[in-house]
Amino acid sequence: MKKLVFTLLFIGVASFSFAQEKYMTRNGNVSFIAEGVVKDGVQAKNDQAACVLNASSGEVVFQILIQSFQFEKALMQEHFNENYMESHKFPKAMLKGKINEWKSIDLSKNGDYKVTVTGDLTIHGVTKKVTENGKVEVRDGKVRLTSDFGVTLADYNIAIPKIVEDKIAKQAKVSLVMALEKTK
Amino acid sequence: MKNWKKIILMAFVAGVIGGSVGLYLFFKPVSSTAKLDTEVRETATVLFQQYSEDENSANARFLGKVVEVRGKVIDIRTTDAGKPALVLETDDAIFGVLCELEDEKAAKSLQTGSEITVKGVCTGMLLDVVLTRCVIL
């Protein structure tokens, strides 16, 4: 059953689109900085993000495993997983949406495009409708998606204890870089 | 009077020790996986199969654990951030066990087709089952 869900989610961004062209990565990079007033190095990187883009429709799915975020400090990583993100309970985060300007993008020649993505962002078990800015770069048949956006922790029921509220920002700055290749 | 001095001295020593332990724990970097004890051993095929069949029960067994996985290397790649990674073969035609390597030089001596054992921390399943901070045993 789980296998079927994964297949539908990633390989078939749209269930009818098996014959359509898709671009994919399983090694995308997502990083965040959530430093508060007191600078304490609250930042982490995740190099195992998965992303599938349906080149016919502009539909796109990003998915990450929360425990794949790597911190420099062991205690920070432990608190992130156990206290804030509860990663045993909510092991994944996902953005499923559509690139609004997809029709104006030509994948047959090199170019850069400023775009917006509208979709559902699920973090910590909470799903919110979002629209975020991003960029699509087309280079020699490959597609690179980048975006920088903010995530307000309270919107996703991520509670920050009073004792560390000066050290952790209310809004995390998230960056993603996805180098996509056409699926064979 | 002597008792007061002793109490102050003991409180000072306890403060110094407590502070030192606190600072050590706060600044302690994430340990290399090579130094961590293995919690679960499994083949790449069985690990992937268990996640495919029942993700929740596989997470209960593997998520966040130090796992030793044996399998055949079918792909050696670089992540979008430039880190080395390899994929171990499973029964699935497309996806496998994706292992991000801790040591950037470790992938240089590897060849596809070789049977290896990797130790890493299991972080769950997306397209592949994912292990981070891997070392090759």
Side-chain angles (χ1 to χ4, degrees), chain A residues 129-144:
Chain A
K129 185 72 91 181
V130 296
T131 297
E132 305 295 354
N133 294 317
K135 190 175 167 187
V136 174
E137 297 169 50
V138 181
R139 294 285 182 280
D140 304 323
K142 293 180 180 177
V143 177
R144 192 166 182 264

Side-chain angles (χ1 to χ4, degrees), chain A residues 34-73:
Chain A
E35 288 195 318
V37 182
V38 178
K39 303 294 177 201
D40 219 0
V42 184
Q43 53 186 296
K45 288 180 182 175
N46 182 332
D47 289 324
Q48 284 104 27
C51 176
V52 176
L53 167 70
N54 183 329
S56 303
S57 63
E59 288 172 290
V60 64
V61 177
F62 303 89
Q63 201 168 24
I64 55 171
L65 294 165
I66 300 301
Q67 292 208 14
S68 287
F69 277 106
Q70 300 298 308
F71 290 72
E72 282 191 10
K73 294 174 187 166

Side-chain angles (χ1 to χ4, degrees), chain B:
Chain B
M1 191 63 183
K2 277 186 179 176
N3 281 344
W4 276 111
K5 279 186 182 174
K6 271 187 182 173
I7 290 169
I8 291 169
L9 185 65
M10 284 168 68
F12 177 74
V13 170
V16 169
I17 292 170
S20 303
V21 170
L23 283 173
Y24 168 75
L25 289 176
F26 183 76
F27 288 107
K28 187 183 167 196
V30 175
S31 299
S32 166
T33 309
K35 294 178 184 171
L36 303 177
D37 292 332
T38 300
E39 294 172 274
V40 192
R41 286 183 176 83
E42 201 50 272
T43 64
T45 304
V46 172
L47 176 63
F48 190 91
Q49 198 174 31
Q50 291 200 0
Y51 263 101
S52 301
E53 286 172 5
D54 185 345
E55 190 177 0
N56 287 335
S57 75
N59 272 336
R61 187 172 176 218
F62 299 109
L63 184 63
K65 303 270 175 65
V66 179
V67 183
E68 258 182 54
V69 183
R70 181 150 188 85
K72 183 177 168 185
V73 178
I74 51 167
D75 190 16
I76 300 166
R77 53 180 47 241
T78 308
T79 68
D80 297 354
K83 286 187 178 177
L86 56 89
V87 181
L88 297 178
E89 186 179 45
T90 66
D91 283 342
D92 191 90
I94 305 170
F95 302 112
V97 177
L98 175 64
C99 310
E100 185 193 59
L101 299 173
E102 200 173 70
D103 180 1
E104 296 193 359
K105 295 171 189 165
K108 286 183 180 169
S109 57
L110 273 181
Q111 287 183 327
T112 53
S114 52
E115 285 275 340
I116 62 165
T117 301
V118 168
K119 182 162 82 166
V121 179
C122 181
T123 61
M125 184 185 200
L126 293 176
L127 301 163
D128 308 276
V129 175
V130 177
L131 301 186
T132 58
R133 294 159 45 206
C134 292
V135 292
I136 298 165
L137 301 180

